[in-house]
Amino acid sequence: MWLLLPTNLTRQEWILLAILFMTEFARGAFFLSFLPIYAVKHLGLSITAAGFAVSAHYFTETASKTAAGWHFDRTGRPVLLIGLITGLASLMAMKLWPLPVILVGASALFGLGMSPVWLGVMSEVAPVEMPARTSRIGLVFAAWLAGAGTGLVAVNFILHRGFELAFSTIIILWLVSVVLTLFILPSRARREKQTRQGFFLSLARLATNPAVTRILIPGMFLQTLCAGLLLPVLPLFAQNQLGLSYNQYGLLLLAGGGTAVLGLLPMGMVLGRLALNSLLAAGFGLSALCLGLLAASHGPQSAFPLAILLGFSYAIILPAWNTLLARVIPPERQATGWGVFATVEGLGAAIGPALGSLMARYGGITAPIMLATLLLITVAIFYTFYPMEKFLVK
């Protein structure tokens, strides 16, 4: 089973998973739900300011991901503590000085602090030398998805009690993750001596791999660009066009996210029975269909069924995509390898919010959703017809 829980994790490995869950919870709550509404409704700023802040966060995280993985391979867990303290300082700066330039600058610094977290947890909990690491990889992705999804949903149930309470809750959760990190330090036992030559050698190997250049890069960039396009506009779209309250929007996200989590297990079980390109094409195609129908909706009646279908489409895509990545990831220097992929994948997430906010300002709030729909159709067509298997290692 793809999500079968391993029972041999150490206490420190469970702590690492808890840190990943809480940091993704706080990050998801802040950037995916809280910030767009906070900037527009509470601070009186334009949606463009929120969009550029979100883009600055993901751009900085993307730009520093590969270097963060390389430093983690060299130094180990202390890199996590430095990153989390940086993230805490960023959140405090945005709360104390909520000016547009501070929001953008601190969001960028937040991205720098967030960059080593996922990479470090993956390389510690599911190291490359472990023979049966598939279930552990699934557990890392489950902690990541559950954290981001829960934060995205839960903050909407706090927002109706005030922006200050929601912001303080996010900061407290991040502070807890900083404290937890102190219980897993130090750890440098498994770190090998890395050199700058080794860093560039890893990049060169990936750059010459046809599976990376012909299969991964198109899907990586476009799928995260689609998600980025939606980030600054989806909460406002739910309120203005669908007529949803904060609580109803939270329930809408819960319906989609819950379906995604529940669908991961059955989809993981059928993963080995179906071709990867078929699953990816079906998942991206269903996502495009649901987004297109959602953009044409004007009430909550059709929004909830479409959210459930969107969640199911993500349950189809995620295990197939992770399997595709695992078949290409280099066996040595895992954090560096994951960092390279996360950097490429994050380019779309970095560009998307700024582009989406500009499109919403000049073309209407549904314009980014329609562009995301067209891009997802393109990705679905690509994976339908491109001969992937001949470039992948069995």
Side-chain angles (χ1 to χ4, degrees):
M1 289 186 182
W2 184 76
L3 280 178
L4 185 63
L5 293 179
T7 58
N8 60 340
L9 268 70
T10 66
R11 181 180 66 89
Q12 292 194 342
E13 288 169 340
W14 283 114
I15 290 175
L16 282 164
L17 289 171
I19 291 171
L20 178 62
F21 174 84
M22 280 188 290
T23 53
E24 288 293 347
F25 183 105
R27 194 251 289 266
F30 187 78
F31 286 107
L32 304 185
S33 281
F34 177 78
L35 183 59
I37 297 174
Y38 176 69
V40 175
K41 302 286 187 178
H42 184 68
L43 300 180
L45 304 176
S46 69
I47 192 175
T48 308
F52 273 84
V54 176
S55 277
H57 170 78
Y58 285 103
F59 178 81
T60 307
E61 185 191 17
T62 297
S64 58
K65 207 86 169 182
T66 302
W70 183 68
H71 281 292
F72 191 90
D73 280 333
R74 298 177 65 226
T75 307
R77 296 174 189 172
V79 175
L80 288 180
L81 181 59
I82 296 172
L84 293 178
I85 292 174
T86 302
L88 180 62
S90 304
L91 284 171
M92 292 302 300
M94 286 186 278
K95 189 174 192 303
L96 295 174
W97 302 288
L99 304 172
V101 65
I102 299 295
L103 289 179
V104 175
S107 294
L109 190 63
F110 196 170
L112 182 65
M114 190 71 190
S115 61
V117 178
W118 186 89
L119 306 171
V121 175
M122 174 63 82
S123 61
E124 289 281 305
V125 176
V128 293
E129 64 269 18
M130 182 170 290
R133 55 193 287 265
T134 304
S135 59
R136 285 172 169 250
I137 292 177
L139 194 57
V140 173
F141 276 104
W144 163 72
L145 178 62
T150 306
L152 170 69
V153 173
V155 74
N156 289 279
F157 295 102
I158 305 174
L159 272 171
H160 75 281
R161 298 187 177 182
F163 289 101
E164 291 298 319
L165 177 61
F167 209 152
S168 298
T169 301
I170 293 170
I171 292 175
I172 290 171
L173 283 172
W174 193 273
L175 180 61
V176 172
S177 69
V178 174
V179 174
L180 281 178
T181 308
L182 300 176
F183 290 94
I184 61 171
L185 299 175
S187 176
R188 296 188 61 176
R190 294 193 302 107
R191 302 292 151 203
E192 299 177 0
K193 185 178 181 181
Q194 302 282 337
T195 65
R196 191 171 298 172
Q197 181 181 2
F199 172 71
F200 287 108
L201 180 61
S202 298
L203 296 182
R205 288 177 179 174
L206 288 172
T208 56
N209 188 336
V212 173
T213 56
R214 302 182 187 183
I215 298 173
L216 289 179
I217 288 179
M220 277 181 173
F221 179 77
L222 290 180
Q223 67 174 299
T224 52
L225 177 64
C226 292
L229 286 168
L230 302 177
L231 287 183
V233 301
L234 202 55
L236 297 173
F237 172 81
Q239 290 184 27
N240 298 342
Q241 182 158 323
L242 299 181
L244 301 178
S245 65
Y246 292 137
N247 286 346
Q248 288 174 322
Y249 180 55
L251 290 174
L252 182 73
L253 297 175
L254 183 62
T259 303
V261 173
L262 292 175
L264 285 175
L265 180 57
M267 291 312 304
M269 293 173 64
V270 304
L271 184 60
R273 304 176 186 177
L274 299 174
L276 282 177
N277 61 319
S278 299
L279 288 171
L280 290 170
F284 285 120
L286 181 59
S287 296
L289 176 64
C290 294
L291 273 183
L293 293 174
L294 186 65
S297 300
H298 290 276
Q301 295 80 9
S302 59
F304 281 89
L306 290 174
I308 291 172
L309 286 175
L310 269 172
F312 181 68
S313 70
Y314 192 69
I316 297 173
I317 294 169
L318 186 60
W321 186 256
N322 293 338
T323 301
L324 181 60
L325 288 175
R327 289 173 65 175
V328 180
I329 197 79
E332 71 282 349
R333 299 182 180 92
Q334 182 181 218
T336 305
W338 282 112
V340 171
F341 286 130
T343 296
V344 176
E345 198 168 26
L347 288 174
I351 297 172
L355 178 60
S357 62
L358 288 173
M359 291 186 66
R361 182 174 182 177
Y362 296 107
I365 202 164
T366 60
I369 302 176
M370 294 309 300
L371 177 59
T373 300
L374 293 175
L375 292 176
L376 288 171
I377 292 173
T378 303
V379 176
I381 293 173
F382 174 81
Y383 286 119
T384 298
F385 296 104
Y386 195 80
M388 287 173 35
E389 289 295 330
K390 71 178 184 178
F391 295 106
L392 298 176
V393 177
K394 299 294 183 181

